[in-house]
Amino acid sequence: MRFNYDVIVIGAGHAGCEAAAAAARLGRDTLLITIDMNKIAQMSCNPAVGGIAKGQIVREIDALGGRMGIVTDRSSIQFRMLNRSKGPAMWSPRAQADRQKFIAHWREQLDATPHLYIWQDSVTGLTIEQGRVAGVKTALGVQFAAPRVILTAGTFLNGLMHIGRTQIPGGRISEPPATGITEQLRELGLRTDRMKTGTPVRIDRKSIDFSRAERQDGDADGRHFSYLPSERGELKQQPCWIVYTNEEVHDILRQALPESPLYNGQIQSIGPRYCPSIETKIVTFADKTEHQLFIEPEGETTDEMYLNGFSSSLPWKVQIEALQKIPAFANLHIYRPGYAIEYDFFDPTQLYHTLESKIVGGLYLAGQVNGTTGYEEAAGQGLIAGINAAIGSHGDDGFTLARDEAYIGVLIDDLVNKGVDEPYRMFTSRAEYRILLRQDNADLRLTPRGAEVGLVEPTRRELFEYKRAAIDELVEFSKQLAIHPKEVNERLAAIGASPLTAGCRLRDLVVRPQLSIAALAGAVPQLAEHLEALPAALRDEIVEEAEIQMKYAGYIERERALADKMQRLDAITLGDKIDYLAATALSTEARQKLDAIRPATIGQASRIPGVSPSDINILLLLLGK
């Protein structure tokens, strides 16, 4: 048994698993400490991965060499590409997962990772020496030493659950909270606050009348998260179901609002705006007579169903009584009611972009402890923290992603610059360069970065290089291939497209909104032959990416130019060159914000709320620029 490690990770949720796997795969002896080894990477809330913008994060994690995409594909029981009616910048993959198999596959990943060790225990405090972390202390009285520690405690820091007026200490149902860490870090100077989240009732499938529900199947085209063709699941695909609340349901909920911890003063912490409880919905949207609910399977074989859209902290009797007014739930039986949970988080403006604390050297924070919500946001932070802990970065001198490189970069930059006043959830609208940050091109953006740091295996790198070359070749082929009207006019007429009156290049047809490479292949033998030569496992991705690059070339080039302009500001470093409080030419708010956050570059300073363009000009003058 050893007690000295290079990296210690506290918590084995989605952030902790990615952090530990990354640090260990980079050759650092890593210890992952978790309260319960049987609930590693537990999906505490909905049994799904991805969604709007979140799906892009999962593909980015996979492209960098992380594991969330692989685990999701292996445990997937339904896959859907959301927003297909919109442009490709908005397409977002989402998968239902088998909750238990998701845990099992993550455990397999961790067990198969060299340099990675697991210890079942609860961390009660950190060992600090001369302002830097030196290890951890546990409830069992064990002390482990490490120069770098990653805190990924999720909702467990002083977690408190609410079901009506009943309060139960815990980080998750039937699991104890983690105590001591918040208090210690607060004494060291880290600012803390409380947040609130919630989870819905779990329902017995046998008690649902599915004839009164609307069926929702997944996509039939076999999409996936991981860019590795070998990582595909074999589980039976399951449908989801849609039902609606009604006025009877709302009346019962309204009458019970005095019993809701959200409305009787019992909960004072910050709740999520974008995933509200059912009681918040009926108050905020009082004019609505119904709300959509999704019945989602928890696994391939289990009867446990998750009711998405009905998060609640109301008394359990009220939850059951209200749900029984929905026709599909007339004979309802539940496994457990929904509940709210309050927990501690830390002000993320006290972090560098590497996610290292500015207060305690060698301490990294990732996931909900930074005020975020969602498995995907947590996993993306965990990956970055794990990489930086492994390479021993100090401050911002490590592995970071820019806002034009990844949604993960947008996420971390928002946290560090803006902080949070509610649980942070990623949306495509948060990214200025979302045309660049599509789900389809995450590997083109990030696999070279993952290879540079050492997380991308040689086989993945070779596959990526082939795919990139094949995309470029198909784009160039389309630019060069001459098309005669006689070749394609019959096909164009069949689909209602305007016929050619003169010859053109294949690319000129591909960029038409109603045409696609696949549709044109039937009329252009040379194109069909070119596509047939591509490996079947990669063909669809190569064709989709080449087509997007051609159709949206003008938009992509324009956004790239805007991003390049911002990069010039990010290249002008600030460091500790300026005494902001003494710079009276700056606005009072700017002086206070700049002194608190200490931005590394002019670009970062420009993204801090309260710092105006005139303040940026003054900073440039102070730097002599």
Side-chain angles (χ1 to χ4, degrees):
M1 182 69 188
R2 59 182 300 171
F3 299 93
N4 293 280
Y5 295 88
D6 299 315
V7 177
I8 293 174
V9 180
I10 304 171
H14 303 274
C17 286
E18 288 289 358
R25 290 175 58 226
L26 290 176
R28 302 297 179 263
D29 289 332
T30 302
L31 179 66
L32 177 61
I33 302 178
T34 177
I35 292 175
D36 189 345
M37 291 173 60
N38 295 314
K39 293 184 178 178
I40 281 173
Q42 167 77 298
M43 305 176 94
S44 305
C45 201
N46 63 318
V49 171
I52 306 301
K54 293 168 174 280
Q56 283 86 326
I57 290 176
V58 180
R59 296 217 92 189
E60 290 174 354
I61 291 169
D62 183 75
L64 286 165
R67 290 299 184 251
M68 188 178 220
I70 292 172
V71 171
T72 303
D73 286 345
R74 290 181 179 180
S75 54
S76 175
I77 54 176
Q78 188 193 98
F79 192 99
R80 296 180 65 216
M81 184 65 75
L82 308 181
N83 282 343
R84 285 304 298 265
S85 62
K86 301 180 181 179
M90 306 297 287
W91 298 353
S92 299
R94 183 182 190 271
Q96 294 292 137
D98 185 303
R99 185 187 300 274
Q100 294 303 318
K101 290 184 173 63
F102 190 91
I103 293 172
H105 286 306
W106 247 120
R107 180 66 186 273
E108 289 173 5
Q109 290 290 324
L110 299 177
D111 286 343
T113 302
H115 303 287
L116 180 55
Y117 304 84
I118 301 175
W119 177 259
Q120 182 168 297
D121 200 347
S122 177
V123 173
T124 56
L126 307 177
T127 304
I128 307 295
E129 295 178 359
Q130 298 180 337
R132 292 189 60 83
V133 72
V136 303
K137 305 169 186 176
T138 78
L140 293 179
V142 183
Q143 293 196 33
F144 295 103
R148 288 174 289 279
V149 172
I150 307 174
L151 177 61
T152 69
T155 60
F156 280 76
L157 294 179
N158 294 316
L160 180 64
M161 295 175 287
H162 301 262
I163 305 174
R165 296 188 183 274
T166 301
Q167 296 178 301
I168 306 170
R172 198 161 44 208
I173 197 74
S174 301
E175 296 181 62
T179 59
I181 297 176
T182 300
E183 294 75 10
Q184 181 186 17
L185 293 179
R186 187 185 294 125
E187 289 180 4
L188 291 170
L190 275 72
R191 294 187 294 271
T192 72
D193 206 336
R194 298 279 280 174
M195 277 189 176
K196 169 263 171 188
T197 189
T199 191
V201 60
R202 304 305 198 270
I203 299 175
D204 186 342
R205 178 197 295 264
K206 295 187 293 292
S207 69
I208 302 172
D209 182 357
F210 288 104
S211 68
R212 311 297 295 272
E214 176 186 336
R215 180 173 173 133
Q216 184 184 61
D217 288 300
D219 295 345
D221 55 358
R223 289 181 176 268
H224 44 81
F225 277 110
S226 179
Y227 287 97
L228 296 174
S230 58
E231 302 299 339
R232 301 293 177 265
E234 298 180 352
L235 302 183
K236 182 181 178 182
Q237 299 300 285
Q238 304 289 321
C240 293
W241 303 83
I242 300 173
V243 295
Y244 296 87
T245 62
N246 53 51
E247 287 285 22
E248 286 187 282
V249 174
H250 297 181
D251 287 342
I252 293 171
L253 297 175
R254 286 191 195 98
Q255 292 169 16
L257 285 178
E259 295 299 311
S260 169
L262 293 176
Y263 292 94
N264 63 16
Q266 190 170 308
I267 290 178
Q268 298 289 333
S269 52
I270 311 165
R273 182 190 311 181
Y274 301 107
C275 188
S277 66
I278 189 64
E279 50 263 47
T280 300
K281 289 180 184 178
I282 65 168
V283 171
T284 306
F285 308 104
D287 58 320
K288 287 190 173 292
T289 58
E290 63 179 24
H291 291 285
Q292 192 176 54
L293 307 177
F294 293 89
I295 308 171
E296 300 175 347
E298 295 263 345
E300 180 187 27
T301 57
T302 181
D303 281 334
E304 188 174 356
M305 307 291 280
Y306 175 94
L307 189 59
N308 197 338
F310 202 86
S311 291
S312 181
S313 59
L314 284 164
W316 62 268
K317 288 183 179 179
V318 175
Q319 295 184 41
I320 294 172
E321 182 184 357
L323 287 171
Q324 285 177 329
K325 297 302 180 181
I326 298 173
F329 299 148
N331 298 308
L332 182 73
H333 176 80
I334 69 170
Y335 290 107
R336 65 168 172 80
Y339 62 91
I341 181 169
E342 292 183 284
Y343 56 94
D344 297 335
F345 76 98
F346 299 93
D347 180 359
T349 64
Q350 294 183 295
L351 301 175
Y352 296 104
H353 280 77
T354 56
L355 298 181
E356 184 185 14
S357 169
K358 295 178 179 179
I359 310 299
V360 180
L363 174 65
Y364 298 79
L365 282 75
Q368 285 182 275
V369 295
N370 287 337
T372 63
T373 180
Y375 312 141
E376 305 82 5
E377 291 91 339
Q381 293 173 69
L383 181 64
I384 299 303
I387 291 172
N388 283 300
I391 64 179
S393 67
H394 176 63
D396 273 337
D397 184 22
F399 184 86
T400 61
L401 297 172
R403 295 182 73 91
D404 64 332
E405 280 187 293
Y407 273 97
I408 298 173
V410 174
L411 162 67
I412 294 174
D413 191 61
D414 279 352
L415 293 177
V416 171
N417 287 331
K418 302 175 182 178
V420 292
D421 56 10
E422 63 185 5
Y424 182 103
R425 179 176 181 175
M426 179 53 70
F427 294 101
T428 53
S429 59
R430 295 192 189 272
E432 308 93 315
Y433 312 114
R434 61 176 180 259
I435 295 176
L436 302 180
L437 307 182
R438 307 182 309 276
Q439 61 84 31
D440 59 271
N441 72 344
D443 58 340
L444 299 181
R445 292 184 275 121
L446 297 176
T447 295
R449 295 292 314 275
E452 288 170 13
V453 80
L455 267 188
V456 172
E457 307 94 331
T459 52
R460 181 189 283 264
R461 180 64 185 265
E462 292 169 10
L463 188 71
F464 164 75
E465 295 292 357
Y466 172 82
K467 177 184 170 183
R468 181 166 61 180
I471 292 167
D472 293 343
E473 188 177 337
L474 180 53
V475 171
E476 187 61 28
F477 173 83
S478 300
K479 289 179 180 178
Q480 299 298 327
L481 183 63
I483 301 295
H484 192 276
K486 290 183 179 179
E487 292 181 87
V488 296
N489 275 349
E490 184 177 343
R491 174 58 63 91
L492 295 178
I495 61 175
S498 301
L500 292 179
T501 58
C504 67
R505 301 295 177 180
L506 175 62
R507 179 188 175 280
D508 299 323
L509 291 175
V510 172
V511 298
R512 290 193 185 186
Q514 69 271 51
L515 295 180
S516 66
I517 290 176
L520 291 166
V524 183
Q526 302 99 310
L527 175 60
E529 184 178 331
H530 187 98
L531 299 183
E532 188 63 31
L534 297 173
L538 296 176
R539 186 179 299 136
D540 289 345
E541 283 190 10
I542 291 169
V543 169
E544 180 179 82
E545 179 59 31
E547 189 170 304
I548 289 171
Q549 288 188 15
M550 288 186 276
K551 283 184 180 292
Y552 298 92
Y555 297 101
I556 293 170
E557 290 167 7
R558 183 173 64 185
E559 201 154 275
R560 182 72 267 163
L562 292 172
D564 290 343
K565 286 182 180 179
M566 182 54 69
Q567 282 184 352
R568 295 182 200 131
L569 291 180
D570 279 315
I572 303 174
T573 58
L574 285 167
D576 293 319
K577 301 173 185 175
I578 298 175
D579 181 356
Y580 295 111
L581 296 179
T584 55
L586 296 169
S587 68
T588 300
E589 184 178 7
R591 293 202 303 271
Q592 294 170 347
K593 292 286 185 68
L594 291 167
D595 182 67
I597 295 175
R598 309 298 303 179
T601 68
I602 287 288
Q604 184 186 347
S606 71
R607 295 188 291 273
I608 298 173
V611 178
S612 68
S614 62
D615 292 319
I616 295 300
N617 287 333
I618 292 168
L619 288 177
L620 290 170
L621 288 172
L622 291 173
L623 291 172
K625 298 290 184 182

